[in-house]
Amino acid sequence: MSNAPAVSSTSTHRAASGAATQFDAVVIGAGVSGLYQIYRLREAGFSVLGIEAGSGVGGTWYWNRYPGARFDSESYTYAYSFSDELLQEWNWNEHFAPQPETLAYLNHVADKFNLRPLIRFNTRVTAATFDANAQCWDIVTEAGATIRTRFMIMATGLLSATQFPDIPGIDSFQGKSLHTSRWPHDPNGLGGDKSVYLGKRVGIIGTGATAVQLIPHLAAGAASLHVFQRTANWCAPLHNGPIKPEEQAALKASYPAIFQLCDKTGGAFMHDFDPRSVFDVSAEEREALFEKLYTHGRGFALWLANFHDVMTDMRANKLLSDFVARKIRARVKDPAVATKLVPTTHGFGQRRVPMETNYYEVYNQDNVTLIDIRENPIARITPTGIKTTAAEYDLDVIIFATGFDAGTGAISRIDIRGPDGSSIKDKWSRELKTFMGLQVSGFPNMFMHIGPHAAFCNLPRCAQITVDWVTELMGYMRERNLREVVPTPEAETAWTRHAEAEADKTLLSKTDSWIMGSNIPGKPRALLLYAAPAPVFRQECKALAENHYQGMQLR
Ligand code: FAD
Ligand code: NAP
């Protein structure tokens, strides 16, 4: 047993090896979950350091500055709920805030709670090794610094590891090329620089949620826009709008009710499934609900407030998919283009639904061309543009809206070694295994927020569950003079099998998408999110703490 001190509130400890334990916890990532974790640990009296690769706070909202980036969670359901003062002083201007507003909000949070001095910016973590004698992590940064900490908390993001496609000639392009989540910053504001595309010949690869938000902006400002689509996605209208000044007071008074509702629903949104089956009602009633949700339902309503079986029964799902297909055909004038925009590989909602504002109408514009690269694949990127098997397109700018190595990517891009030298990257390259999405067997004192197996929900609501849980566990260990916690392999396997069984119940697992890891060549196919309803996950976390962390070894 080492002589290293247990978790304490002093800032520098001496471990058995003689090396200084600089911090009780290092939190990697200063997005929504990292900021809250840093706040909670400091408030609980732990010494904590945040490490962030970016030059500022915000995570997703710091990096993704492409024009059109915004929530599809209602702003007021995404906000932190831990401080009533914060809720009351912050005015959201739109039901679905655009990225600059969200980034301003997260900067405000960092300043209000004085979190910035606890964070080392412009610092990328490249490696971490667990010292079994000292029961500590040694975290190594790109600049070569080593930081010793009792706990390492990965708030590195579900969707932060950018993914470029493996297309021949990708580096040969002589014009400007960029990934959507590395959009250049507007020197005068918190958003992205629009000069990237204004008046230019633009090509965009990808038609996921990101592209669907960005494309209407490109179409409005570019000289020409070529959209290279491999798989059409089912999109739904966002129905965003301003929050009028007279609505602010009512909204602020409703926060307790809003968060209570989010605590009850499966996705931690204000939407919940209609308990009726689509087959319980007449065709007219069915159509009336579809129409109401499509025409007026804000945000994810068409997806998450629909008949419950549209997301579990392919026959029910087909009725909804056919309805949305009719809407697409009604909005796109050229029937051949409309046909290409109607998905054929999956049903509505089997992939994360991109939310749109005037997306389909863009294809009625003369300066916009849809290129079906399933029919004619991209052969290569050339110095002057993109060459498919059918034609060559000259471009000034190529935008890669090609997504992320989700869930595992941000963590396995760090060379993380457990006490026996084994690497997390190797482990997950064989099979995705976690214990409740919180810990990984063989990697003691490492926690994850919104990583692989995160609850599939309005993410800040679920991050709050896991941050509170980790903070409570660290308090529990401090009280008992414990230094190390790790799930047993048996508990991890049991929980992983349970997560797989939950995944099997959904239609998400029956198609390809980043949610299944299938966008990354060689990644084992597994649902990267925990498909059970958010209240079930909350209850499981609570029960684990109440049962003194059964399935976890505390030493
Ligand atoms: P992130 O915000 O991804 O932050 C992770 C941080 O970790 C980053 O700043 C990154 O730089 C840092 N980091 C990673 N690796 C390292 C390293 N090795 N060293 C140092 N720092 C590192 N979710 C919703 O619920 N509703 C939405 O409306 C919604 N909209 C989204 C829109 C976009 C464009 C995207 C990409 C995602 C969206 N999401 C949404 C998901 C979103 O990622 C989460 O809501 C949330 O922002 C995640 O917060 P986080 O703090 O866990 O991770
Ligand atoms: P994505 O959904 O993974 O979409 C990537 C797109 O790139 C897909 O159309 C994909 O085609 C295409 N692509 C990838 N590799 C390709 C290749 N080699 N050749 C041709 N096309 C290729 O990524 P995303 O759009 O960035 O969205 C990821 C997630 O981020 C979303 O699902 C959502 O959770 C989150 N997000 C949220 C919001 C919001 O809430 N407002 C906005 C943006 C993003 P295939 O489908 O054929 O693979």
Side-chain angles (χ1 to χ4, degrees):
M1 189 60 113
S2 102
N3 293 322
V7 180
S8 87
S9 59
T10 53
S11 60
T12 305
H13 316 301
R14 195 134 303 267
S17 61
T21 309
Q22 289 163 286
F23 299 97
D24 291 327
V26 164
V27 178
I28 309 175
V32 172
S33 44
L35 286 177
Y36 181 49
Q37 181 68 85
I38 293 166
Y39 166 78
R40 283 297 321 267
L41 290 177
R42 186 200 53 198
E43 295 305 293
F46 293 105
S47 62
V48 55
L49 174 74
I51 302 184
E52 169 54 57
S55 64
V57 300
T60 289
W61 307 104
Y62 168 92
W63 293 108
N64 291 268
R65 299 188 193 217
Y66 59 84
R70 65 172 67 246
F71 288 148
D72 43 23
S73 301
E74 298 76 9
S75 312
Y76 30 88
T77 67
Y78 193 95
Y80 288 117
S81 65
F82 68 88
S83 161
D84 197 45
E85 194 177 283
L86 174 64
L87 287 167
Q88 295 306 319
E89 75 192 9
W90 186 262
N91 287 335
W92 293 104
N93 294 316
E94 296 181 48
H95 288 280
F96 301 91
Q99 170 271 329
E101 191 176 337
T102 308
L103 186 55
Y105 168 74
L106 293 170
N107 273 288
H108 172 74
V109 171
D111 290 332
K112 179 178 174 66
F113 298 102
N114 200 23
L115 302 177
R116 235 179 268 279
L118 300 176
I119 304 168
R120 228 174 262 181
F121 293 104
N122 299 306
T123 306
R124 181 166 288 281
V125 172
T126 52
T129 308
F130 191 76
D131 179 331
N133 290 324
Q135 296 170 291
C136 289
W137 283 98
D138 287 318
I139 293 178
V140 181
T141 72
E142 204 166 33
T146 301
I147 300 150
R148 176 157 276 218
T149 176
R150 175 75 61 219
F151 294 100
M152 177 169 75
I153 303 181
M154 314 306 290
T156 43
L158 177 71
L159 293 156
S160 65
T162 55
Q163 185 65 19
F164 281 92
D166 187 12
I167 298 176
I170 191 165
D171 295 325
S172 69
F173 184 58
Q174 300 286 299
K176 186 170 185 61
S177 65
L178 66 160
H179 191 281
T180 45
S181 79
R182 293 294 178 272
W183 198 278
H185 297 185
D186 177 347
N188 303 312
L190 292 175
D193 184 355
K194 294 188 175 55
S195 70
V196 168
Y197 65 93
L198 291 177
K200 308 264 170 59
R201 296 168 305 167
V202 178
I204 181 167
I205 301 177
T207 50
T210 295
V212 165
Q213 289 188 328
L214 171 60
I215 283 170
H217 293 262
L218 301 178
S224 65
L225 175 65
H226 287 86
V227 178
F228 294 84
Q229 172 186 274
R230 187 165 66 182
T231 310
N233 283 309
W234 296 101
C235 310
L238 179 65
H239 296 304
N240 185 28
I243 298 172
K244 301 187 190 86
E246 62 272 21
E247 289 175 318
Q248 286 289 355
L251 177 63
K252 287 180 183 177
S254 329
Y255 270 125
I258 290 173
F259 292 127
Q260 263 173 29
L261 180 58
C262 290
D263 278 354
K264 281 195 208 137
T265 61
F269 286 99
M270 289 166 79
H271 314 291
D272 209 0
F273 285 108
D274 190 313
R276 294 172 301 169
S277 159
V278 78
F279 301 111
D280 286 346
V281 299
S282 67
E284 291 72 31
E285 278 178 278
R286 181 181 75 218
E287 202 72 3
L289 181 61
F290 287 173
E291 185 65 43
K292 185 175 121 198
L293 294 174
Y294 192 89
T295 313
H296 303 292
R298 275 207 187 111
F300 285 140
L302 186 66
W303 195 22
L304 302 180
N306 220 309
F307 298 103
H308 72 87
D309 47 352
V310 296
M311 287 307 131
T312 50
D313 177 345
M314 267 328 266
R315 292 173 313 134
N317 182 278
K318 171 105 174 47
L319 293 169
L320 175 59
S321 300
D322 289 348
F323 170 88
V324 180
R326 289 196 292 279
K327 290 291 183 190
I328 297 171
R329 291 183 193 286
R331 291 172 61 183
V332 179
K333 287 186 187 146
D334 182 335
V337 176
T339 296
K340 287 188 192 307
L341 289 166
V342 173
T344 52
T345 56
H346 60 286
F348 181 91
Q350 277 192 277
R351 289 173 148 204
R352 162 57 163 75
V353 176
M355 303 307 301
E356 53 92 14
T357 304
N358 298 328
Y359 174 65
Y360 290 108
E361 286 71 14
V362 153
Y363 295 98
N364 299 330
Q365 288 182 212
D366 291 339
N367 67 332
V368 179
T369 311
L370 181 67
I371 315 288
D372 181 349
I373 54 171
R374 201 168 276 266
E375 197 173 64
N376 296 302
I378 295 176
R380 62 180 302 108
I381 291 176
T382 69
T384 54
I386 295 178
K387 189 174 189 302
T388 69
T389 50
E392 194 159 352
Y393 303 91
D394 284 342
L395 302 168
D396 302 314
V397 184
I398 299 178
I399 297 168
F400 294 96
T402 45
F404 304 90
D405 184 352
T408 52
I411 296 173
S412 55
R413 286 181 188 185
I414 302 171
D415 185 13
I416 298 175
R417 303 276 165 173
D420 64 357
S422 58
S423 104
I424 207 157
K425 182 178 173 190
D426 288 349
K427 174 169 173 149
W428 283 342
S429 68
R430 292 188 293 275
E431 183 186 5
L432 174 63
K433 279 181 130 182
T434 77
F435 180 65
M436 295 185 64
L438 290 165
Q439 275 212 289
V440 183
S441 165
F443 298 86
N445 291 6
M446 184 185 94
F447 299 112
M448 303 178 294
H449 296 307
I450 323 188
H453 283 154
F456 189 23
C457 76
N458 193 358
L459 286 169
R461 302 274 67 77
C462 288
Q464 194 162 338
I465 300 173
T466 61
V467 167
D468 290 347
W469 183 91
V470 166
T471 312
E472 190 182 331
L473 170 58
M474 283 179 59
Y476 178 96
M477 292 177 70
R478 177 169 58 189
E479 277 167 24
R480 289 161 181 77
N481 210 28
L482 297 162
R483 300 186 186 95
E484 196 176 314
V485 57
V486 68
T488 63
E490 296 75 23
E492 181 183 73
T493 300
W495 194 86
T496 300
R497 299 293 166 256
H498 163 64
E500 288 164 355
E502 289 298 320
D504 280 348
K505 291 182 197 164
T506 72
L507 297 182
L508 295 166
S509 60
K510 315 289 183 297
T511 196
D512 285 344
S513 73
W514 67 261
I515 294 176
M516 295 304 299
S518 44
N519 63 326
I520 305 298
K523 191 163 173 170
R525 191 181 165 82
L527 196 102
L528 282 160
L529 299 164
Y530 179 45
V536 171
F537 179 66
R538 185 181 304 105
Q539 184 49 39
E540 286 171 341
C541 288
K542 190 163 170 263
L544 188 60
E546 284 170 358
N547 294 329
H548 298 278
Y549 307 99
Q550 216 173 23
M552 303 170 83
Q553 291 173 323
L554 291 121
R555 296 189 270 260

